Amino acid sequence: MLPLSRYFNKPKVLFISLLQHYGGWVPDKIYIKWLYRLKMGKKLDLKNPKTFSEKLQWLKLYNRQPEYTMMVDKSTVKDYVAGIIGEKYIIPTIGVWDKPEDIEWDRLPNQFVLKTTHGGGSSGVVICKDKDTFDRQQAIIKLKKSFKQDIYRSLREWPYKNVPRRILAEQYIEPDSVTNDLPDYKFFCFNGQPQYCQVISGRNDKECVDFFDINWVHQPFHEPRYLPFADGCLKKPNQYEKMWKLAESLAEGKPFSRIDFFNVRDVVYFGEITFFPTSGFGGFDPQSYDELFGGMISHNSN
Protein backbone atom coordinates (compact mmCIF):
# COMPACT_ATOMS: atom_id res chain seq x y z
CA MET A 1 0.00 0.00 0.00
CA LEU A 2 1.06 3.62 -0.51
CA PRO A 3 2.10 5.70 2.55
CA LEU A 4 -0.99 7.10 4.27
CA SER A 5 0.11 10.69 3.58
CA ARG A 6 -0.34 10.07 -0.16
CA TYR A 7 -4.01 9.13 0.27
CA PHE A 8 -5.31 12.42 1.65
CA ASN A 9 -5.94 13.87 -1.81
CA LYS A 10 -6.70 10.52 -3.42
CA PRO A 11 -9.68 8.96 -1.61
CA LYS A 12 -10.54 6.74 -4.59
CA VAL A 13 -7.04 5.28 -4.58
CA LEU A 14 -7.38 4.66 -0.85
CA PHE A 15 -10.70 2.82 -1.23
CA ILE A 16 -9.33 0.67 -4.08
CA SER A 17 -6.26 -0.21 -2.05
CA LEU A 18 -8.34 -1.10 1.02
CA LEU A 19 -10.66 -3.27 -1.06
CA GLN A 20 -7.80 -5.10 -2.75
CA HIS A 21 -5.91 -5.69 0.48
CA TYR A 22 -8.76 -6.53 2.84
CA GLY A 23 -11.59 -7.61 0.54
CA GLY A 24 -10.66 -11.26 0.17
CA TRP A 25 -13.82 -12.27 2.01
CA VAL A 26 -16.10 -10.40 -0.41
CA PRO A 27 -17.93 -12.66 -2.94
CA ASP A 28 -16.64 -12.29 -6.50
CA LYS A 29 -19.76 -10.67 -7.96
CA ILE A 30 -20.00 -8.00 -5.27
CA TYR A 31 -16.25 -7.41 -5.29
CA ILE A 32 -16.18 -6.87 -9.07
CA LYS A 33 -19.13 -4.46 -8.86
CA TRP A 34 -17.42 -2.43 -6.15
CA LEU A 35 -14.06 -2.38 -7.92
CA TYR A 36 -15.65 -1.40 -11.25
CA ARG A 37 -17.51 1.49 -9.60
CA LEU A 38 -14.30 2.74 -7.99
CA LYS A 39 -12.11 2.39 -11.07
CA MET A 40 -14.56 3.36 -13.81
CA GLY A 41 -16.72 5.84 -11.90
CA LYS A 42 -20.01 4.22 -12.89
CA LYS A 43 -22.26 1.30 -12.05
CA LEU A 44 -21.51 -2.08 -13.61
CA ASP A 45 -24.39 -3.56 -15.63
CA LEU A 46 -24.00 -7.35 -15.51
CA LYS A 47 -27.54 -8.09 -16.70
CA ASN A 48 -27.08 -6.31 -20.01
CA PRO A 49 -23.37 -5.56 -20.46
CA LYS A 50 -22.59 -3.55 -23.59
CA THR A 51 -19.07 -2.17 -23.36
CA PHE A 52 -15.79 -4.07 -23.61
CA SER A 53 -15.07 -3.16 -19.99
CA GLU A 54 -18.42 -4.52 -18.80
CA LYS A 55 -18.24 -7.70 -20.82
CA LEU A 56 -14.80 -8.57 -19.50
CA GLN A 57 -16.22 -8.32 -15.96
CA TRP A 58 -19.10 -10.56 -17.05
CA LEU A 59 -16.63 -13.08 -18.48
CA LYS A 60 -14.69 -13.11 -15.20
CA LEU A 61 -17.81 -14.38 -13.48
CA TYR A 62 -19.50 -16.57 -16.06
CA ASN A 63 -16.90 -17.95 -18.46
CA ARG A 64 -14.86 -20.05 -16.07
CA GLN A 65 -13.32 -22.74 -18.24
CA PRO A 66 -10.93 -25.04 -16.30
CA GLU A 67 -8.38 -25.05 -19.14
CA TYR A 68 -7.95 -21.28 -18.83
CA THR A 69 -5.80 -21.83 -15.74
CA MET A 70 -3.27 -23.75 -17.79
CA MET A 71 -3.37 -21.09 -20.52
CA VAL A 72 -2.40 -18.21 -18.21
CA ASP A 73 0.38 -20.20 -16.53
CA LYS A 74 3.55 -18.97 -18.26
CA SER A 75 5.08 -22.45 -18.09
CA THR A 76 2.24 -24.85 -18.92
CA VAL A 77 0.86 -22.63 -21.71
CA LYS A 78 3.94 -23.44 -23.79
CA ASP A 79 2.93 -27.09 -24.22
CA TYR A 80 -0.64 -26.06 -25.00
CA VAL A 81 0.44 -23.60 -27.69
CA ALA A 82 3.06 -25.94 -29.14
CA GLY A 83 0.37 -28.60 -29.55
CA ILE A 84 -1.70 -26.23 -31.70
CA ILE A 85 0.75 -24.17 -33.76
CA GLY A 86 4.05 -26.01 -33.29
CA GLU A 87 7.14 -26.04 -31.09
CA LYS A 88 9.10 -23.68 -33.34
CA TYR A 89 7.06 -20.69 -32.09
CA ILE A 90 7.89 -21.32 -28.42
CA ILE A 91 10.68 -19.48 -26.62
CA PRO A 92 12.88 -22.29 -25.20
CA THR A 93 12.60 -22.96 -21.47
CA ILE A 94 15.85 -23.32 -19.50
CA GLY A 95 14.41 -24.31 -16.14
CA VAL A 96 11.48 -24.08 -13.71
CA TRP A 97 11.79 -23.80 -9.92
CA ASP A 98 9.33 -23.63 -7.03
CA LYS A 99 10.82 -20.52 -5.42
CA PRO A 100 13.51 -17.92 -6.14
CA GLU A 101 15.98 -19.50 -3.71
CA ASP A 102 15.90 -22.72 -5.75
CA ILE A 103 17.18 -21.14 -8.97
CA GLU A 104 20.19 -23.10 -10.28
CA TRP A 105 22.31 -20.18 -11.41
CA ASP A 106 25.04 -22.42 -12.83
CA ARG A 107 22.53 -23.84 -15.33
CA LEU A 108 21.75 -20.42 -16.75
CA PRO A 109 23.57 -19.04 -19.82
CA ASN A 110 25.11 -15.57 -19.99
CA GLN A 111 21.78 -14.05 -21.04
CA PHE A 112 18.34 -15.19 -19.86
CA VAL A 113 14.90 -14.06 -18.64
CA LEU A 114 13.27 -15.02 -15.34
CA LYS A 115 9.48 -14.87 -14.92
CA THR A 116 6.97 -15.74 -12.25
CA THR A 117 4.54 -18.25 -13.76
CA HIS A 118 1.41 -16.86 -12.07
CA GLY A 119 1.41 -13.47 -13.77
CA GLY A 120 2.24 -10.09 -12.36
CA GLY A 121 3.16 -8.26 -15.57
CA SER A 122 6.58 -6.62 -15.79
CA SER A 123 6.91 -6.72 -11.99
CA GLY A 124 7.42 -10.47 -12.28
CA VAL A 125 10.06 -10.33 -15.03
CA VAL A 126 13.83 -10.12 -14.57
CA ILE A 127 16.13 -9.76 -17.60
CA CYS A 128 19.81 -10.68 -17.52
CA LYS A 129 21.93 -9.39 -20.40
CA ASP A 130 25.30 -10.17 -18.79
CA LYS A 131 25.64 -12.83 -16.11
CA ASP A 132 28.96 -11.43 -14.86
CA THR A 133 27.38 -8.13 -13.80
CA PHE A 134 23.94 -9.51 -12.94
CA ASP A 135 22.70 -8.79 -9.39
CA ARG A 136 21.25 -12.08 -8.18
CA GLN A 137 20.12 -10.73 -4.83
CA GLN A 138 18.12 -7.91 -6.38
CA ALA A 139 16.58 -10.42 -8.79
CA ILE A 140 15.54 -12.65 -5.89
CA ILE A 141 14.06 -9.67 -4.03
CA LYS A 142 12.00 -8.68 -7.10
CA LEU A 143 10.79 -12.23 -7.70
CA LYS A 144 9.85 -12.70 -4.04
CA LYS A 145 7.81 -9.50 -4.21
CA SER A 146 6.06 -10.78 -7.33
CA PHE A 147 5.31 -14.06 -5.52
CA LYS A 148 3.11 -12.09 -3.13
CA GLN A 149 0.92 -10.76 -5.94
CA ASP A 150 -2.44 -12.43 -6.41
CA ILE A 151 -4.29 -11.41 -9.58
CA TYR A 152 -7.34 -13.43 -8.60
CA ARG A 153 -7.61 -11.87 -5.14
CA SER A 154 -7.02 -8.27 -6.25
CA LEU A 155 -8.83 -8.26 -9.63
CA ARG A 156 -10.91 -11.47 -9.50
CA GLU A 157 -9.47 -12.83 -12.73
CA TRP A 158 -10.59 -16.39 -12.10
CA PRO A 159 -8.06 -18.22 -14.37
CA TYR A 160 -5.23 -17.17 -12.03
CA LYS A 161 -6.85 -18.55 -8.89
CA ASN A 162 -5.09 -21.91 -8.97
CA VAL A 163 -1.91 -21.16 -10.93
CA PRO A 164 1.06 -22.44 -8.88
CA ARG A 165 3.72 -19.88 -8.04
CA ARG A 166 7.00 -20.87 -9.68
CA ILE A 167 9.99 -19.31 -11.43
CA LEU A 168 10.48 -19.85 -15.16
CA ALA A 169 13.82 -19.26 -16.87
CA GLU A 170 13.78 -18.93 -20.63
CA GLN A 171 15.98 -17.89 -23.51
CA TYR A 172 16.69 -14.18 -23.88
CA ILE A 173 15.37 -12.75 -27.14
CA GLU A 174 17.67 -10.07 -28.54
CA PRO A 175 15.91 -6.82 -29.58
CA ASP A 176 16.31 -5.35 -33.05
CA SER A 177 19.94 -4.27 -33.48
CA VAL A 178 18.97 -1.01 -35.21
CA THR A 179 16.08 0.23 -33.05
CA ASN A 180 17.00 -1.64 -29.84
CA ASP A 181 13.28 -2.38 -29.55
CA LEU A 182 11.28 -5.58 -29.10
CA PRO A 183 7.68 -4.69 -29.98
CA ASP A 184 4.77 -6.75 -28.68
CA TYR A 185 2.10 -7.70 -31.23
CA LYS A 186 -1.09 -8.33 -29.30
CA PHE A 187 -4.05 -9.65 -31.29
CA PHE A 188 -7.49 -8.86 -29.89
CA CYS A 189 -9.66 -11.83 -30.83
CA PHE A 190 -13.45 -11.87 -30.60
CA ASN A 191 -15.35 -15.17 -30.77
CA GLY A 192 -12.23 -16.83 -32.14
CA GLN A 193 -11.42 -14.20 -34.78
CA PRO A 194 -8.64 -11.59 -34.60
CA GLN A 195 -9.97 -8.11 -35.29
CA TYR A 196 -7.21 -5.71 -34.24
CA CYS A 197 -3.51 -5.87 -33.45
CA GLN A 198 -2.24 -3.77 -30.58
CA VAL A 199 1.44 -2.89 -30.92
CA ILE A 200 3.42 -1.85 -27.85
CA SER A 201 6.73 -0.33 -28.86
CA GLY A 202 9.52 1.75 -27.34
CA ARG A 203 9.66 0.02 -23.95
CA ASN A 204 13.35 0.90 -23.64
CA ASP A 205 12.75 4.57 -24.40
CA LYS A 206 9.28 6.03 -24.93
CA GLU A 207 6.59 3.39 -24.57
CA CYS A 208 3.75 3.76 -27.07
CA VAL A 209 0.55 1.89 -27.93
CA ASP A 210 -1.01 1.68 -31.39
CA PHE A 211 -3.79 -0.41 -32.94
CA PHE A 212 -3.90 -1.71 -36.52
CA ASP A 213 -6.43 -3.70 -38.53
CA ILE A 214 -5.64 -6.75 -40.67
CA ASN A 215 -4.42 -4.49 -43.51
CA TRP A 216 -2.05 -2.58 -41.18
CA VAL A 217 -4.23 0.51 -41.25
CA HIS A 218 -3.62 2.58 -38.13
CA GLN A 219 -6.65 2.96 -35.86
CA PRO A 220 -7.65 6.22 -34.13
CA PHE A 221 -8.07 4.94 -30.56
CA HIS A 222 -5.98 4.22 -27.47
CA GLU A 223 -5.97 1.48 -24.87
CA PRO A 224 -4.80 2.15 -22.24
CA ARG A 225 -5.49 5.84 -22.66
CA TYR A 226 -2.40 7.20 -20.91
CA LEU A 227 0.11 5.92 -23.48
CA PRO A 228 0.62 7.92 -26.71
CA PHE A 229 0.75 6.83 -30.33
CA ALA A 230 4.22 6.10 -31.68
CA ASP A 231 5.99 8.93 -33.47
CA GLY A 232 5.79 8.45 -37.23
CA CYS A 233 4.47 5.33 -38.93
CA LEU A 234 5.39 1.96 -37.46
CA LYS A 235 6.73 -0.49 -40.02
CA LYS A 236 4.53 -3.48 -40.74
CA PRO A 237 6.38 -6.67 -39.65
CA ASN A 238 7.15 -9.13 -42.44
CA GLN A 239 5.37 -11.93 -40.57
CA TYR A 240 2.24 -9.93 -39.77
CA GLU A 241 -0.17 -12.13 -41.75
CA LYS A 242 1.39 -15.26 -40.26
CA MET A 243 0.93 -13.94 -36.72
CA TRP A 244 -2.68 -13.09 -37.56
CA LYS A 245 -3.32 -16.70 -38.65
CA LEU A 246 -1.54 -18.13 -35.61
CA ALA A 247 -3.64 -15.94 -33.34
CA GLU A 248 -6.77 -17.22 -35.04
CA SER A 249 -5.73 -20.83 -34.35
CA LEU A 250 -5.11 -20.11 -30.66
CA ALA A 251 -8.26 -18.02 -30.17
CA GLU A 252 -10.65 -20.67 -31.47
CA GLY A 253 -13.60 -21.33 -29.16
CA LYS A 254 -12.99 -18.37 -26.85
CA PRO A 255 -15.45 -15.44 -26.59
CA PHE A 256 -12.51 -13.10 -26.10
CA SER A 257 -8.75 -13.57 -25.89
CA ARG A 258 -5.66 -11.57 -26.59
CA ILE A 259 -2.88 -13.56 -28.24
CA ASP A 260 0.60 -12.05 -28.05
CA PHE A 261 3.65 -12.58 -30.27
CA PHE A 262 7.14 -11.23 -30.85
CA ASN A 263 8.58 -10.96 -34.36
CA VAL A 264 12.37 -10.95 -34.19
CA ARG A 265 14.34 -10.83 -37.43
CA ASP A 266 11.38 -12.46 -39.19
CA VAL A 267 11.14 -15.23 -36.57
CA VAL A 268 7.82 -15.40 -34.71
CA TYR A 269 7.67 -16.28 -31.00
CA PHE A 270 4.56 -16.79 -28.89
CA GLY A 271 4.29 -14.41 -25.93
CA GLU A 272 1.18 -15.14 -23.86
CA ILE A 273 -2.58 -15.55 -23.80
CA THR A 274 -4.56 -12.93 -21.89
CA PHE A 275 -8.28 -13.01 -21.19
CA PHE A 276 -8.66 -9.65 -19.44
CA PRO A 277 -6.39 -6.86 -20.80
CA THR A 278 -5.90 -4.22 -18.08
CA SER A 279 -8.39 -6.45 -16.22
CA GLY A 280 -11.16 -4.68 -18.11
CA PHE A 281 -10.43 -1.31 -16.48
CA GLY A 282 -8.28 0.31 -19.18
CA GLY A 283 -11.01 2.04 -21.11
CA PHE A 284 -10.66 3.60 -24.55
CA ASP A 285 -10.13 7.04 -25.96
CA PRO A 286 -12.45 7.87 -27.69
CA GLN A 287 -14.83 6.05 -25.34
CA SER A 288 -17.08 5.01 -28.22
CA TYR A 289 -14.60 2.23 -28.97
CA ASP A 290 -15.39 0.63 -25.63
CA GLU A 291 -18.86 -0.10 -27.02
CA LEU A 292 -17.45 -1.11 -30.43
CA PHE A 293 -15.23 -3.74 -28.82
CA GLY A 294 -18.01 -4.82 -26.49
CA GLY A 295 -20.35 -5.37 -29.41
CA MET A 296 -17.97 -7.92 -30.88
CA ILE A 297 -18.16 -10.23 -27.84
CA SER A 298 -21.11 -12.60 -27.82
CA HIS A 299 -22.34 -13.74 -24.42
CA ASN A 300 -25.42 -15.19 -22.77
CA SER A 301 -26.60 -13.12 -19.80
CA ASN A 302 -27.87 -14.75 -16.63
Side-chain angles (χ1 to χ4, degrees):
M1 294 178 66
L2 294 172
L4 288 177
S5 60
R6 296 183 61 184
Y7 285 125
F8 291 138
N9 296 320
K10 298 179 179 180
K12 185 172 75 169
V13 176
L14 172 61
F15 292 142
I16 291 173
S17 183
L18 290 173
L19 178 62
Q20 292 183 323
H21 280 80
Y22 303 111
W25 57 273
V26 180
D28 288 352
K29 187 174 181 178
I30 296 174
Y31 184 99
I32 287 173
K33 284 185 173 182
W34 287 355
L35 188 60
Y36 186 90
R37 185 63 177 261
L38 287 168
K39 283 183 170 287
M40 305 300 286
K42 56 186 177 181
K43 184 178 179 181
L44 173 61
D45 185 353
L46 288 173
K47 292 185 178 180
N48 186 32
K50 294 180 179 179
T51 68
F52 184 63
S53 302
E54 288 179 324
K55 287 194 176 180
L56 289 190
Q57 309 312 316
W58 190 94
L59 290 172
K60 287 180 185 179
L61 292 168
Y62 303 117
N63 185 43
R64 297 184 168 185
Q65 306 302 320
E67 61 269 23
Y68 286 3
T69 295
M70 171 265 296
M71 294 180 197
V72 300
D73 184 317
K74 288 182 171 57
S75 178
T76 59
V77 69
K78 293 189 177 190
D79 288 336
Y80 168 77
V81 171
I84 296 175
I85 63 175
E87 188 74 32
K88 66 180 181 178
Y89 298 108
I90 307 301
I91 298 175
T93 294
I94 302 170
V96 180
W97 300 277
D98 290 334
K99 54 184 183 295
E101 296 86 348
D102 293 341
I103 297 172
E104 299 172 85
W105 299 102
D106 292 340
R107 284 182 54 189
L108 300 177
N110 186 53
Q111 296 182 318
F112 56 86
V113 176
L114 299 174
K115 298 178 179 179
T116 50
T117 59
H118 69 292
S122 59
S123 64
V125 178
V126 174
I127 298 174
C128 173
K129 298 181 181 180
D130 183 354
K131 197 174 181 181
D132 291 336
T133 60
F134 182 67
D135 191 331
R136 298 182 184 180
Q137 291 306 311
Q138 285 300 312
I140 289 175
I141 290 171
K142 183 174 183 179
L143 293 169
K144 280 185 173 181
K145 185 177 181 180
S146 179
F147 256 43
K148 296 178 181 179
Q149 294 181 328
D150 189 333
I151 295 176
Y152 166 70
R153 180 184 172 89
S154 62
L155 297 168
R156 299 301 162 97
E157 296 187 20
W158 181 84
Y160 289 97
K161 185 175 183 178
N162 296 311
V163 176
R165 287 166 166 74
R166 294 167 295 159
I167 304 296
L168 166 72
E170 65 182 23
Q171 178 181 310
Y172 173 72
I173 303 300
E174 192 77 41
D176 182 90
S177 58
V178 176
T179 63
N180 193 33
D181 195 14
L182 186 64
D184 275 351
Y185 299 95
K186 301 173 177 291
F187 293 84
F188 280 58
C189 305
F190 301 82
N191 305 311
Q193 295 295 319
Q195 298 291 342
Y196 295 99
C197 177
Q198 180 190 51
V199 182
I200 300 183
S201 60
R203 280 201 168 113
N204 293 323
D205 182 18
K206 178 186 175 183
E207 188 170 357
C208 300
V209 175
D210 296 84
F211 276 87
F212 296 86
D213 66 11
I214 190 172
N215 297 312
W216 198 252
V217 175
H218 190 268
Q219 302 298 298
F221 57 86
H222 283 285
E223 189 279 339
R225 64 188 64 167
Y226 57 84
L227 290 175
F229 291 143
D231 294 332
C233 183
L234 290 176
K235 181 181 178 182
K236 176 183 175 181
N238 291 335
Q239 302 298 323
Y240 185 60
E241 286 78 12
K242 174 182 283 187
M243 289 190 289
W244 195 281
K245 287 294 185 182
L246 294 173
E248 184 176 5
S249 297
L250 294 173
E252 183 178 359
K254 304 171 183 65
F256 174 81
S257 59
R258 196 196 72 203
I259 314 295
D260 298 0
F261 294 100
F262 299 104
N263 183 20
V264 185
R265 290 171 289 280
D266 290 342
V267 177
V268 174
Y269 292 105
F270 166 77
E272 66 176 339
I273 296 175
T274 299
F275 294 102
F276 311 103
T278 64
S279 202
F281 301 119
F284 287 87
D285 185 13
Q287 294 184 9
S288 58
Y289 284 88
D290 203 6
E291 288 199 20
L292 175 67
F293 273 48
M296 290 188 284
I297 299 177
S298 297
H299 77 289
N300 296 312
S301 298
N302 280 11

